[in-house]
């Protein structure tokens, strides 16, 4: 079959008898040691719905590999469910888990001498962590998404997990009762699978498809759909084809692939977290794809999809009208995709989409033509200026406000800001600044969904938020995150004072403190670093290695 099988160096010959003995005891036969040995990395955990079902799904992948002439064993990776960690100390571990997932796959894969990798997961950090591992290992690899949950229905209206975060804000201002919340909580996430909107998990699944690392059409079906079994089986077969043809992860993860993924991200107005993750995957693939490349694309790619949190439509609605291939075909025909990029099918993007026919659906208001977009500019915009010299990102798909000027209300942690909103001390027109929540300072850039939902839910319609932390993909409103450099390393956000005037100008891509330059540099001279929040354990270790947000917040090991 394949030209070179690394597994043979560990499972062939007399001296490797101890290793074979272990595999014999779990059912391996003589002939299995001559077959390609395929790893299935499974993000599986019973601690929440997103990856609850993946272990079962992995069995279909394994059966397909065995039927197609390979041997295979599966191993687990960890999962942090952001919806459980959100708004707590635990959220500091979320982005860290992306690195742990990548590291654990690398360790398991290399220690056990596998030949190729299938990775299966369905939560915010599992997809990027797994793609980072594939890029780092540079072996034949395919990603399989576990799928998103079906949406819930509350008193006849479609709801997602974002609805209950916003409802908490409404409860705090007395617009909803405890009974309303309890009723919503029982219906909001009715099945297994990832959070239903175009939040981070579904955005990253779309990106895996756009990168060419998962099968066309495989990112949008629900976790409960029979299509999941189909894609699991097809992915098992596809990995053996990749091994046979010698196509490795970095053959797919080229500069063109990253441009394609960023183009799809901007066209669908996906989660801002995807920017961090794309930069991190590019770092592992050793591809020079930077925030400036994304910035350049934001001027070219229109917003053609409107999905939750920007509308009521969820991932399964997108699936019902054609999925990511629908988006990619429109972008391809408009000349916005690099058509020669190779994918896990062994074919190029153009070849994959050649026979795709636009579905004959009228009256859908989810995806539009390139010539008639929802917005002429991208769903995510990169801002720069005196407040963020190395960049910041804003999701414009979920806000109508493009220019905002107002006094800063400064908080040195998410908790402080939440208390201020709870006690009604934020006023219309304010710009809430939350700092010391960046990659090193947080550490781990905790997501601010609790705060952003409290702002929206408490009826504050004219408030902006700027932070060196991150946002959930479910965040709505004028929320700017990933400010770099972060406060902890002495970025200008560290010296903003209460009632400094802040200017957010999306059409001009500016994020400025309207304080004289001289005054800012004097404040920066007086600024002193604060004590780190953690001096031991994983968070301390992570903080000492992590890069800034404009570099993907990766734990750096090479330049
Ligand atoms: Fe898993 Fe939302 S917490 S996708």
């Amino acid at each position: 079959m394949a030209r070179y099988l690394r597994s043979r160096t560990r499972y062939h010959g007399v001296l490797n008898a101890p290793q074979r003995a272990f595999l014999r005891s779990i059912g391996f036969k003589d002939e299995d040691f001559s077959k390609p040995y395929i790893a299935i990395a499974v993000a599986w955990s019973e601690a929440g719905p997103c990856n609850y079902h993946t272990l079962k799904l992995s069995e279909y992948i394994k059966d397909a590999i065995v039927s197609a002439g390979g041997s295979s064993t599966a191993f687990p990776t960890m999962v942090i469910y952001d919806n459980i960690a959100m708004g707590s100390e635990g959220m500091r571990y979320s982005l860290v888990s992306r690195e742990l997932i990548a590291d654990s796959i690398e360790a398991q894969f290399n220690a056990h001498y596998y030949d190729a990798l299938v990775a299966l997961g369905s939560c915010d950090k599992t997809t990027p962590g797994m793609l980072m591992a594939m890029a780092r290992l540079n072996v034949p690899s395919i990603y399989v998404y576990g799928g998103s949950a079906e949406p819930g229905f509350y008193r006849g209206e479609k709801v997602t997990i974002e609805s209950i975060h916003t409802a908490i804000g409404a409860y705090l201002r007395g617009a909803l009762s405890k009974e309303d919340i309890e009723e919503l909580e029982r219906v909001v996430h009715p099945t297994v699978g990832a959070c239903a909107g175009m939040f981070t998990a579904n955005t990253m699944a779309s990106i895996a498809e756009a990168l060419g690392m998962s099968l066309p059409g495989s990112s949008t079906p629900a976790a409960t759909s029979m299509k999941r079994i189909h894609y699991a089986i097809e992915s098992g077969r596809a990995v053996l084809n990749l091994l046979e043809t010698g196509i490795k992860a970095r053959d797919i993860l080229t500069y063109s692939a990253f441009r394609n993924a960023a183009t799809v991200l901007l066209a669908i107005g996906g989660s801002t977290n995807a920017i961090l993750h794309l930069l991190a995957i590019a770092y592992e693939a050793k591809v020079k794809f930077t925030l400036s490349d994304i910035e350049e694309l934001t001027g070219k790619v229109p917003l053609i999809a409107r999905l939750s949190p920007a509308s009521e439509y969820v991932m399964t609605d997108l699936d019902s009208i054609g999925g990511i291939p629908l988006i990619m075909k429109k972008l391809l025909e408009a000349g916005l995709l690099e058509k020669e990029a190779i994918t896990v099918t062994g074919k190029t993007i153009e070849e994959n989409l050649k026979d795709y026919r636009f579905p004959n659906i009228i009256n859908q208001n989810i995806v539009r033509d390139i010539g008639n977009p929802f917005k002429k500019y991208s769903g995510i915009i990169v801002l720069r200026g005196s407040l963020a010299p190395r960049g910041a990102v804003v999701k414009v798909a979920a806000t109508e406000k493009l220019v905002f000027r107002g006094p800063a209300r400064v908080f040195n942690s998410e908790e402080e800001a939440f208390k201020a909103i709870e006690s009604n001390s934020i006023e219309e027109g304010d710009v809430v600044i939350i700092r010391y929540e960046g990659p090193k300072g947080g550490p781990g850039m905790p997501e601010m969904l609790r705060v952003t939902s409290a702002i929206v839910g408490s009826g504050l319609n004219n408030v902006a938020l700027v932070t060196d932390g991150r946002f959930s993909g479910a965040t709505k409103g004028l929320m700017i995150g990933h400010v770099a450099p972060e406060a902890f390393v002495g970025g200008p956000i560290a010296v903003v004072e209460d009632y400094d005037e802040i200017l957010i100008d999306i059409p001009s891509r500016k994020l400025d403190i309207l304080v004289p330059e001289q005054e800012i540099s004097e404040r920066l001279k007086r600024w002193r670093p604060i004590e780190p929040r953690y001096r031991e354990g994983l968070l301390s270790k992570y903080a000492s290695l992590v890069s800034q947000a404009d570099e993907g917040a990766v734990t750096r090991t090479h330049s």
Side-chain angles (χ1 to χ4, degrees):
M1 199 178 187
R3 289 167 223 139
Y4 168 74
L5 293 177
R6 187 178 70 145
S7 57
R8 293 195 177 159
T9 64
R10 185 83 300 218
Y11 300 105
H12 272 202
V14 180
L15 298 185
N16 287 327
Q19 288 71 46
R20 284 196 301 278
F22 255 35
L23 293 188
R24 283 187 197 283
S25 67
I26 57 166
F28 274 56
K29 306 272 185 303
D30 284 346
E31 59 271 25
D32 294 327
F33 297 108
S34 297
K35 295 174 183 171
Y37 188 28
I38 315 297
I40 307 175
V42 191
W44 170 76
S45 158
E46 287 184 329
C50 319
N51 297 267
Y52 190 86
H53 60 302
T54 49
L55 198 56
K56 183 100 195 107
L57 202 54
S58 73
E59 288 169 16
Y60 291 98
I61 300 173
K62 194 197 287 181
D63 288 348
I65 291 170
V66 170
S67 304
S71 54
S72 178
T73 50
F75 58 80
T77 68
M78 67 169 299
V79 184
I80 283 183
Y81 292 103
D82 284 3
N83 185 56
I84 287 178
M86 193 69 70
S88 76
E89 183 106 14
M91 195 62 198
R92 302 192 195 285
Y93 287 94
S94 165
L95 191 58
V96 180
S97 74
R98 184 190 72 181
E99 313 297 293
L100 292 175
I101 290 164
D103 291 353
S104 67
I105 293 174
E106 176 199 336
Q108 184 85 60
F109 188 95
N110 279 341
H112 283 232
Y113 285 75
Y114 289 103
D115 298 307
L117 172 63
V118 183
L120 164 66
S122 27
C123 212
D124 293 26
K125 305 305 170 298
T126 54
T127 307
M130 289 175 154
L131 291 171
M132 286 165 73
M134 291 171 176
R136 192 184 297 172
L137 290 164
N138 192 27
V139 292
S141 309
I142 187 166
Y143 178 71
V144 189
Y145 189 46
S148 71
E150 295 171 27
F153 286 89
Y154 173 75
R155 299 178 188 172
E157 272 189 31
K158 196 185 282 176
V159 286
T160 69
I161 200 70
E162 179 260 332
S163 314
I164 197 155
H165 286 276
T166 304
I168 299 289
Y171 168 75
L172 290 175
R173 76 180 148 103
L176 286 179
S177 67
K178 180 168 162 276
E179 291 69 31
D180 293 331
I181 299 286
E182 283 172 359
E183 186 182 336
L184 180 57
E185 155 190 341
R186 283 169 170 73
V187 297
V188 78
H189 194 104
T191 70
V192 296
C195 298
M198 189 51 85
F199 311 147
T200 305
N202 284 332
T203 300
M204 287 311 300
S206 307
I207 280 198
E209 194 175 323
L211 280 169
M213 291 301 294
S214 57
L215 291 175
S218 64
S219 58
T220 47
T224 49
S225 162
M226 286 298 285
K227 288 190 206 168
R228 282 283 146 231
I229 295 174
H230 163 79
Y231 284 118
I233 293 170
E234 289 304 316
S235 300
R237 291 178 183 152
V239 76
L240 286 172
N241 186 48
L242 288 169
L243 191 61
E244 174 64 20
T245 51
I247 298 174
K248 297 184 183 142
R250 288 186 197 165
D251 297 324
I252 296 171
L253 293 170
T254 60
Y255 180 79
S256 297
F258 285 102
R259 274 186 79 90
N260 287 343
T263 299
V264 168
L265 167 69
L266 298 172
I268 63 176
S271 163
T272 48
N273 284 318
I275 302 240
L276 277 183
H277 300 325
L278 266 179
L279 297 173
I281 300 160
Y283 169 80
E284 297 291 356
K286 300 194 173 172
V287 171
K288 286 221 172 315
F289 180 78
T290 65
L291 191 60
S292 302
D293 290 301
I294 297 173
E295 215 167 348
E296 182 231 314
L297 287 170
T298 59
K300 295 182 180 162
V301 182
L303 179 71
I304 59 164
R306 194 137 223 194
L307 292 152
S308 170
S311 78
E312 68 185 279
Y313 301 111
V314 298
M315 192 68 157
T316 49
D317 292 317
L318 178 58
D319 189 61
S320 69
I321 61 161
I324 292 300
L326 170 71
I327 308 273
M328 290 183 71
K329 182 92 175 188
K330 285 178 188 281
L331 294 166
L332 184 78
E333 289 188 347
L336 290 167
L337 289 186
E338 310 263 337
K339 59 186 181 180
E340 301 300 332
I342 198 98
T343 73
V344 286
T345 61
K347 297 180 188 161
T348 64
I349 295 254
E350 185 180 38
E351 287 166 339
N352 285 345
L353 293 168
K354 190 163 135 292
D355 296 326
Y356 180 86
R357 298 276 166 269
F358 288 115
N360 190 14
I361 299 168
I362 45 171
N363 287 337
Q364 61 89 5
N365 195 24
I366 307 171
V367 176
R368 287 194 185 166
D369 290 334
I370 303 283
N372 177 34
F374 287 105
K375 287 183 182 169
K376 288 203 178 78
Y377 41 83
S378 295
I380 298 175
I381 297 285
V382 177
L383 304 176
R384 291 180 196 266
S386 55
L387 186 49
R390 281 173 55 179
V393 296
V394 57
K395 182 169 172 175
V396 285
T399 178
E400 293 304 321
K401 291 188 197 81
L402 297 182
V403 180
F404 196 96
R405 188 175 167 149
R409 301 293 308 279
V410 182
F411 303 95
N412 286 340
S413 70
E414 184 194 4
E415 293 80 356
E416 275 182 32
F418 187 76
K419 277 185 197 144
I421 297 159
E422 220 180 4
S423 61
N424 297 321
S425 64
I426 300 299
E427 291 173 10
E428 295 286 13
D430 285 348
V431 179
V432 175
I433 305 270
I434 306 179
R435 65 191 179 192
Y436 295 105
E437 296 287 13
K440 282 180 182 294
M445 300 179 78
E447 290 180 359
M448 307 279 163
L449 183 59
R450 191 157 163 253
V451 168
T452 56
S453 296
I455 289 174
V456 174
S458 62
L460 289 164
N461 293 318
N462 199 33
V463 166
L465 190 152
V466 179
T467 179
D468 51 11
R470 294 183 296 133
F471 296 120
S472 156
T475 288
K476 291 196 272 201
L478 185 53
M479 312 291 176
I480 294 146
H482 306 199
V483 167
E486 64 179 302
F488 189 81
V489 299
I493 191 172
V495 297
V496 180
E497 293 179 1
D498 269 334
Y499 305 105
D500 281 347
E501 200 75 357
I502 304 294
L503 174 68
I504 301 158
D505 186 339
I506 291 171
S508 306
R509 288 148 202 249
K510 297 293 283 176
L511 178 59
D512 286 326
I513 324 171
L514 300 180
V515 168
E517 220 173 284
Q518 178 68 20
E519 166 71 13
I520 295 174
S521 51
E522 273 165 25
R523 287 189 199 171
L524 283 171
K525 270 187 220 147
R526 288 196 302 268
W527 176 82
R528 292 289 169 266
I530 63 160
E531 283 292 303
R533 286 196 172 100
Y534 302 89
R535 288 209 171 272
E536 56 190 32
L538 175 61
L539 293 177
S540 166
K541 197 189 299 183
Y542 172 84
S544 68
L545 287 173
V546 74
S547 65
Q548 289 294 285
D550 62 320
E551 298 166 320
V554 289
T555 46
R556 290 186 79 90
T557 52
H558 62 266
S559 55

